[in-house]
Amino acid sequence: MQVENWSWIGGALHSAFGEMQALSVWEAVAVALALAYLLLAMKRNRLCWVAAFASTAIYTVLFYEVALLMESALNVYYMAMAVYGYWLWQKDTDDELKVSSWSLSRHLLLIAVTTLVSLGCGYLMANYTQASFPYLDAATTCFAVMTTYLVAKKVLENWLYWVVIDVVSIYLYLSKGLMMTSLLFVLYVGMAVAGYFIWRAALAEQREPVLALG
């Protein structure tokens, strides 16, 4: 029995290693573009959406190949949001689209609605598809859909949502052998924290003239 167990583990590791090699080149490109997106987003540079479009196009295929169906569908949405975000951020003048902060009650409503939607999606995936980790996959997807919209609207708290989403995503990607993507999301957690403080400082700067006039 012990020999059979070790044989099974060895076979699984060999299979995972083979899959990792096949995915590694495209995954590396997607990771590099995703990092470029986040760094540019932290600086509020609209070119971040160009990097996002290219990265998510690659991830759409990668996640489909490893049966993370909602993650794959999410990246199709990301591609559309990259176009929308680029268009919206072009309007970033003195009069439009500054960093904003939403009230706690508004965020609690968002969380409640998104949780209900993710539970419904998870149930459908668990019962009608071959998706892996259907409820976790659905939760990260639904919350990422909502949070990406917050990024496009430059809502400060988007970075806090990303911290939670990224931590859960690390587990999903590790379980599927996407090692470089897992490492990317470890970096994402730290960068999301940094992004929050950078945007909070920008919000404070925006409010200074108002305080001075008051």
Side-chain angles (χ1 to χ4, degrees):
M1 181 65 70
Q2 187 174 7
V3 174
E4 290 179 358
N5 287 338
W6 280 110
S7 177
W8 181 87
I9 292 171
L13 288 174
H14 178 75
S15 176
F17 183 72
E19 291 178 3
M20 286 169 59
Q21 285 184 312
L23 296 174
S24 61
V25 175
W26 282 111
E27 187 183 1
V29 174
V31 165
L33 289 167
L35 281 173
Y37 157 73
L38 192 54
L39 288 169
L40 290 167
M42 290 167 66
K43 297 179 179 180
R44 289 170 290 150
N45 186 320
R46 70 173 181 267
L47 290 178
C48 70
W49 297 110
V50 177
F53 185 91
S55 177
T56 54
I58 296 170
Y59 272 126
T60 298
V61 178
L62 290 181
F63 289 139
Y64 182 82
E65 291 294 324
V66 296
L68 289 175
L69 304 184
M70 285 294 284
E71 294 292 321
S72 182
L74 172 62
N75 277 271
V76 174
Y77 165 78
Y78 280 163
M79 291 170 66
M81 284 301 297
V83 175
Y84 173 69
Y86 186 86
W87 172 79
L88 196 62
W89 283 28
Q90 287 188 91
K91 298 163 55 179
D92 190 7
T93 66
D94 289 339
D95 299 320
E96 297 188 58
L97 200 62
K98 295 299 183 182
V99 177
S100 62
S101 179
W102 287 3
S103 67
L104 177 61
S105 60
R106 192 171 185 180
H107 283 294
L108 290 175
L109 178 60
L110 275 177
I111 291 169
V113 172
T114 307
T115 298
L116 289 174
V117 173
S118 66
L119 287 173
C121 290
Y123 175 81
L124 292 174
M125 290 171 63
N127 289 278
Y128 299 105
T129 75
Q130 300 298 317
S132 300
F133 306 102
Y135 286 98
L136 280 181
D137 192 6
T140 55
T141 299
C142 292
F143 274 91
V145 165
M146 179 268 291
T147 306
T148 302
Y149 176 75
L150 298 186
V151 176
K153 299 296 289 185
K154 291 193 176 177
V155 177
L156 170 64
E157 292 79 15
N158 86 83
W159 297 107
L160 301 181
Y161 286 103
W162 283 127
V163 170
V164 178
I165 293 168
D166 293 344
V167 168
V168 176
S169 295
I170 290 168
Y171 171 74
L172 285 176
Y173 301 149
L174 280 174
S175 70
K176 287 299 180 178
L178 296 171
M179 300 304 178
M180 282 186 288
T181 302
S182 300
L183 290 175
L184 170 66
F185 273 70
V186 171
L187 289 175
Y188 268 9
V189 173
M191 294 172 76
V193 173
Y196 173 79
F197 286 105
I198 291 171
W199 280 33
R200 191 174 73 169
L203 180 61
E205 289 178 5
Q206 291 167 196
R207 289 174 172 173
E208 282 179 0
V210 176
L211 293 174
L213 289 173

